Amino acid sequence: RQLLVDDAGKQWRVRSPKHVEASMRLETELLVLRAFVPGVRAELPFALPYVAGTVRQGQLCTFVYSHLPGSTRDIDELSGGGAELAADIGRTMAAIHALPQALVNNADLPSYTANEFRQRKLNELDQAATTGKIPATLLRRWEHALEDVALWRFSPTVVHGDLHEDNLLVSGGRISAVNGWTDLRIGDPADDFAWLIAANNSDFTDTVHNAYIEARPDAVDPHLIRRAALSAEFALAQWLVRGIAAENRSMVEEAEEMLATLEADILDQEAADAAEAEVEAAAAESRVSLSAVPAAAPNLSTGATAAVPGPAAPSGSEGRGKVSVAPIPETEPEADEVQTQVSSNDPASFETGSATVDAEPATSAIPLIAASPGTGVDADPDRGHGSTTAEDAKDAKDAKTP
């Protein structure tokens, strides 16, 4: 790119492609910019370039553009430029997505329905997988996302297709112009949000997204940011495929390095999420189990409370759950038919007849244990044997006799 100044002091921007592919992309942009008639340009809150002339040199073509006001900022400068600049970025993106689709169709540019777009991504994923250089973790992650049909229910819009910080010009704290119209199409609006993920600044992304929603209240898409993140990740696979096709070793090595870094970051995040989920599940289980346990009731024979270990609590939690002995039902069998014992070796195990109930931590409420007449149950492990027999009661009575 070069900046020239004519005799009248007017500035012009010159772009000279270095290879045929770049030249073809600039020729596509020429068609796009011609489609922006004065009436469409007047409705946009930013300026667009126009092509003043071209010079062909063999298979390559040099383009001369009008100079646009403003200058580029890197992603950190944009994210740190304040809420108003972030909101203006959101409004700029909303204005692009609100462009009439006839503008794209009349220029014979690509157009995809939501299902066609998803299928196109699946085909690209298959192509990337054949390289054998995509980590299995990423392949599974992308495949699962692409198979989630609900994620891809969006309304196609006009999409810039190559939106990032290098194509946004800033002047006076707002977006003054937008460049780089080589990939204009009808497709997934999330593609234009993918570059925001690289900012790694959730406040910045949220501010841009909220301003976008305010400018397009009738086009709320609950999965837009998630698809944008997927698009940002998948761009690495696309870069790898392009490098292999071009037999560019440095591109391939760069792509492989970035894919390895992405895989490590995802594995770390999944491990952290799993650990957090386990802690939250354990805490929820503890709250549910404890809320299902009634308050302690007097023991049938001694008035004591039967204490059993409560459900497992998260690390660092102290405290033990309690369960009361249930009243004897009216249809209780004879005392010599049912024996209730608490083993001194396993204070949390109660035997009723031939059935054993373990007071292990569980997701369900702790069951109440029925005791036979005249039997006191004390399951506190610090008290040794918890069974009180008739002979023990007689010995205690004799001990009190002078």
Side-chain angles (χ1 to χ4, degrees):
R1 296 182 183 183
Q2 295 177 329
L3 186 63
L4 301 179
V5 182
D6 62 16
D7 294 339
K10 191 171 183 179
Q11 295 179 326
W12 303 91
R13 184 165 52 94
V14 179
R15 300 184 68 181
S16 299
K18 297 181 179 180
H19 50 81
V20 175
E21 182 183 356
S23 182
M24 292 178 62
R25 286 171 59 84
L26 291 179
E27 290 180 25
T28 299
E29 184 179 42
L30 174 62
L31 295 175
V32 171
L33 293 177
R34 285 177 176 174
F36 283 96
V37 296
V40 174
R41 289 174 179 258
E43 296 294 327
L44 296 173
F46 51 83
L48 284 83
Y50 69 87
V51 180
T54 62
V55 177
R56 180 165 292 280
Q57 299 173 324
Q59 291 183 315
L60 305 181
C61 189
T62 298
F63 296 80
V64 180
Y65 297 83
S66 61
H67 180 64
L68 295 172
S71 58
T72 59
R73 304 282 193 275
D74 63 33
I75 190 67
D76 293 331
E77 290 175 326
L78 288 178
S79 60
E84 184 55 36
L85 177 58
D88 199 54
I89 293 173
R91 291 189 289 268
T92 297
M93 297 169 71
I96 294 173
H97 295 173
L99 285 168
Q101 296 189 12
L103 184 147
V104 173
N105 293 328
N106 292 341
D108 199 24
L109 296 173
S111 177
Y112 305 98
T113 65
N115 188 56
E116 289 172 343
F117 186 83
R118 185 177 75 92
Q119 188 59 51
R120 182 168 177 259
K121 289 291 185 182
L122 281 168
N123 295 339
E124 291 178 351
L125 179 60
D126 290 340
Q127 183 182 11
T130 60
T131 66
K133 297 180 180 295
I134 307 293
T137 299
L138 299 181
L139 286 176
R140 288 193 300 269
R141 175 182 175 88
W142 297 337
E143 184 177 11
H144 291 164
L146 288 169
E147 289 176 348
D148 184 358
V149 178
L151 183 65
W152 301 95
R153 290 173 181 159
F154 61 85
S155 297
T157 67
V158 173
V159 176
H160 182 280
D162 192 27
L163 198 62
H164 50 77
E165 62 274 19
D166 291 339
N167 284 330
L168 297 176
L169 300 183
V170 180
S171 178
R174 59 177 295 273
I175 302 301
S176 58
V178 179
N179 279 321
W181 296 88
T182 58
D183 292 315
L184 192 72
R185 60 179 179 267
I186 295 175
D188 186 1
D191 281 357
D192 282 347
F193 282 81
W195 68 283
L196 293 172
I197 306 302
N200 197 25
N201 186 327
S202 58
D203 291 338
F204 173 63
T205 302
D206 289 344
T207 303
V208 173
H209 188 211
N210 290 337
Y212 174 86
I213 292 174
E214 290 179 5
R216 302 196 73 216
D218 58 335
V220 176
D221 183 346
H223 303 299
L224 187 144
I225 295 299
R226 184 181 170 194
R227 292 198 313 277
L230 177 65
S231 180
E233 294 178 10
F234 195 64
L236 301 183
Q238 294 170 321
W239 183 251
L240 173 69
V241 172
R242 286 182 59 188
I244 293 175
E247 297 182 351
N248 188 322
R249 185 177 181 82
S250 61
M251 280 181 63
V252 173
E253 291 177 349
E254 181 183 20
E256 287 181 312
E257 181 180 350
M258 290 188 293
L259 286 167
T261 300
L262 175 61
E263 180 189 30
D265 291 342
I266 288 175
L267 290 175
D268 289 343
Q269 184 61 49
E270 289 179 349
D273 291 345
E276 182 179 355
E278 288 181 3
V279 171
E280 292 179 354
E285 179 181 317
S286 179
R287 289 193 297 269
V288 170
S289 297
L290 290 176
S291 65
V293 176
N299 188 283
L300 295 178
S301 62
T302 64
T305 299
V308 297
S315 176
S317 176
E318 297 180 358
R320 306 167 66 83
K322 289 182 179 293
V323 60
S324 58
V325 178
I328 302 173
E330 295 181 359
T331 57
E332 184 70 7
E334 293 297 327
D336 58 350
E337 294 179 359
V338 179
Q339 293 182 349
T340 301
Q341 297 179 341
V342 179
S343 170
S344 60
N345 295 326
D346 186 4
S349 177
F350 297 82
E351 291 187 358
T352 304
S354 60
T356 300
V357 181
D358 294 326
E360 293 285 343
T363 56
S364 59
I366 300 174
L368 299 181
I369 312 301
S372 58
T375 302
V377 179
D378 188 345
D380 190 339
D382 295 330
R383 299 194 182 189
H385 293 287
S387 175
T388 303
T389 64
E391 292 180 359
D392 293 332
K394 183 178 182 301
D395 292 340
K397 181 177 179 182
D398 294 340
K400 294 180 182 179
T401 304

